[in-house]
């Protein structure tokens, strides 16, 4: 009867991606390091596409198709990378929220029981 409900996630976070990242975390991967690597990867790819686009613009109108393709690729790639990054950030947030909420409820109950007993003993 006490089945856990799946966490409510924003519509822009893919449940499948978040669950995949949570599974990776359970296998021992550090999601904070993976998040940093993804951000660096995104910066490098964006810099490369912007460099190709800038060179195509610099060398003239004959490369108009290269410029158009580069801009479209930059937009599509950033959309995919942003979705992946949001899912990774959401998985990291769920991991950091889950242990703290469990730890807060269990020790507090134990601490309050042990705290009240010595106080009663001292008052008696």
């Amino acid at each position: 009867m006490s089945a856990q409900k799946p966490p409510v996630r924003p519509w822009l976070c893919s449940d499948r991606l978040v669950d995949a990242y949570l599974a990776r975390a359970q296998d021992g991967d550090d999601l904070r390091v993976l998040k940093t690597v993804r951000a660096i990867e995104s910066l490098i790819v964006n810099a490369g596409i912007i460099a190709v686009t800038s060179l195509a613009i610099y060398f003239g109108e004959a490369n108009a198709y290269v410029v158009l393709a580069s801009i479209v690729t930059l937009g599509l790639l950033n959309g995919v990378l942003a979705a992946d990054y949001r899912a990774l950030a959401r998985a990291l947030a769920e991991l950091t929220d889950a242990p703290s909420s469990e730890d807060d409820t269990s020790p507090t109950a134990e601490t309050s029981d042990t705290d009240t007993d010595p106080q009663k003993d001292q008052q008696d």
Side-chain angles (χ1 to χ4, degrees):
M1 291 182 88
S2 64
Q4 288 184 342
K5 294 172 65 176
V8 178
R9 297 179 178 140
W11 64 271
L12 46 100
C13 288
S14 171
D15 288 336
R16 190 174 55 190
L17 280 175
V18 174
D19 292 337
Y21 281 124
L22 289 173
R24 287 184 74 172
Q26 290 175 351
D27 290 340
D29 289 349
D30 188 7
L31 292 186
R32 285 175 281 159
V33 172
L34 187 59
K35 185 177 175 183
T36 304
V37 169
R38 294 292 173 145
I40 292 171
E41 173 191 16
S42 175
L43 290 173
I44 291 171
V45 170
N46 281 327
I49 292 175
I50 290 170
V52 168
T53 305
S54 299
L55 286 173
I57 291 171
Y58 178 74
F59 286 117
E61 294 178 24
N63 297 321
Y65 293 116
V66 173
V67 172
L68 181 63
S70 296
I71 292 173
V72 168
T73 302
L74 187 65
L76 291 173
L77 182 68
N78 279 325
V80 170
L81 290 175
D84 188 51
Y85 188 78
R86 278 191 303 262
L88 179 57
R90 179 64 186 186
L92 188 59
E94 286 182 15
L95 280 177
T96 56
D97 288 345
S100 65
S101 64
E102 291 174 6
D103 290 343
D104 288 343
T105 56
S106 299
T108 306
E110 293 173 8
T111 314
S112 64
D113 291 340
T114 57
D115 287 342
T116 55
D117 290 337
Q119 290 174 358
K120 287 180 183 178
D121 292 337
Q122 290 174 358
Q123 291 175 355
D124 292 337

